[in-house]
Amino acid sequence: MNLLEKEQLIQEQAIALETASAEEIIRYAVQTFPNITFACSFGAEDVVLVDMVQKISPGTDIFYLDTDFHFEETYHTRDRLVAKYNMEFVRVAPVLSPEEQAAQHGDTLWQVNPNQCCNIRKVEPLTRILSQYDAWITGIRRDQAPTRANAKKIEYDNKFGLVKFNPIADWTQDEVWAYIREHDVIYNPLHDQNYPSIGCHYCTRQVMPGEDPRAGRWSGNEKTECGLHK
C-alpha cells in the first residue's frame, strides 16, 4: 500500500469513527496498531487519556518529553500517576543538556529563539521516539487553538510519518474536567492556579480572566505551537 492509498484509507476510517467515543478510538488504535505509543505532557487532557489507556491497554507505552525545564508540579504529577497506576513512563530527553545548550546557544535561548529551543528540547526528541512506532495517540482538542480546529480523530501525520489518533479531539474543556472529577483522575495542581495550558516554566505564565486559554504559552511573541502538532 503506497502513501496515497494509506492516507485515503485513514480518511475513510476518520469519517467512520468520527462519532466513536474516546474509549472506542483507543481500543481501535491499540488493536489495529499494536506498535503504538501515547505522548503525555501531564496536562488535563493527557491525564484523562492516561486513565483510559491504563484501563484499556495497560501494556501500551506512554512517553513524555523531559525538556529539563518542566515545573516541579509537572514532575510531581508524573510521580503520582506512576504510583496510582503502578506503571512507568518512558522518559525521552534532548540530546543537549541545559548546560550544553547554554554553552552552544546562550543562557536564554527560549527568549532569543523559542522555535530553536523547542526544536532542540521537544521536536527532535519526539522525532526520535516516534521513529520506533507505527502510530501515536495525543490529547489535542479542536477547540484548544485555531491551529488544531481541523484535527481528525484519526489522521496520517505527514510530519512524523505515522498514524495519529486524537481520541478527545471533539471534547470541550468542560468535558475534560467532568471526566477528571467523575473518575478521580490525578491532575497538575497548576491548573487550579490559572494555568490551563502548561509547558516549560520559562515559557508559560498564568492566564488572566478573559484571555485565550493558550495565551500563557510563549507570551509576548507570535508563537502558538511548539512544533509537535504543526
Side-chain angles (χ1 to χ4, degrees), residues 148-165:
R148 302 181 179 189
N150 296 318
K152 305 292 189 296
K153 290 188 178 180
I154 307 172
E155 53 193 6
Y156 188 76
D157 192 329
N158 287 289
K159 180 168 186 174
F160 297 107
L162 74 172
V163 181
K164 181 177 181 178
F165 290 88

Side-chain angles (χ1 to χ4, degrees), residues 38-173:
F38 166 43
C40 179
S41 67
F42 305 111
E45 291 81 7
D46 286 354
V47 296
V48 164
L49 290 175
V50 168
D51 186 73
M52 290 183 181
V53 170
Q54 286 301 298
K55 291 173 179 176
I56 295 169
S57 180
T60 294
D61 288 346
I62 304 178
F63 74 88
Y64 72 102
L65 301 176
D66 191 351
T67 66
D68 298 302
F69 297 152
H70 289 307
F71 288 91
E72 284 302 316
E73 289 88 345
T74 300
Y75 290 115
H76 185 51
T77 300
R78 174 201 61 190
D79 295 342
R80 293 175 64 209
L81 291 167
V82 166
K84 176 175 180 176
Y85 297 106
N86 190 28
M87 60 170 293
E88 289 295 336
F89 291 97
V90 177
R91 177 180 180 266
V92 183
V95 172
L96 298 180
S97 68
E99 294 76 19
E100 290 169 334
Q101 177 172 304
Q104 293 185 28
H105 302 286
D107 291 335
T108 57
L109 181 61
W110 51 87
Q111 291 180 350
V112 178
N113 192 336
N115 286 328
Q116 186 178 17
C117 191
C118 283
N119 282 335
I120 293 171
R121 313 216 70 77
K122 292 184 177 182
V123 179
E124 187 283 327
L126 180 65
T127 303
R128 189 176 354 116
I129 187 69
L130 290 185
S131 69
Q132 304 174 29
Y133 295 92
D134 300 320
W136 67 311
I137 299 169
T138 86
I140 69 173
R141 295 187 294 105
R142 293 168 187 157
D143 70 356
Q144 286 175 320
T147 52
R148 302 181 179 189
N150 296 318
K152 305 292 189 296
K153 290 188 178 180
I154 307 172
E155 53 193 6
Y156 188 76
D157 192 329
N158 287 289
K159 180 168 186 174
F160 297 107
L162 74 172
V163 181
K164 181 177 181 178
F165 290 88
N166 307 309
I168 59 172
D170 59 344
W171 281 32
T172 64
Q173 186 178 47

Side-chain angles (χ1 to χ4, degrees), residues 65 114-115 117-119 122-123 148 159 214 217-218 223-230:
L65 301 176
N115 286 328
C117 191
C118 283
N119 282 335
K122 292 184 177 182
V123 179
R148 302 181 179 189
K159 180 168 186 174
R214 288 182 68 82
R217 304 292 297 278
W218 306 285
K223 184 175 174 63
T224 59
E225 292 281 357
C226 54
L228 303 187
H229 300 293
K230 285 292 179 181

Side-chain angles (χ1 to χ4, degrees), residues 188-220:
N188 194 322
L190 289 175
H191 288 309
D192 294 331
Q193 302 172 40
N194 296 323
Y195 286 90
S197 179
I198 304 167
C200 297
H201 65 82
Y202 289 118
C203 301
T204 307
R205 67 163 174 81
Q206 291 175 305
V207 173
M208 297 299 102
E211 287 188 303
D212 183 275
R214 288 182 68 82
R217 304 292 297 278
W218 306 285
S219 182

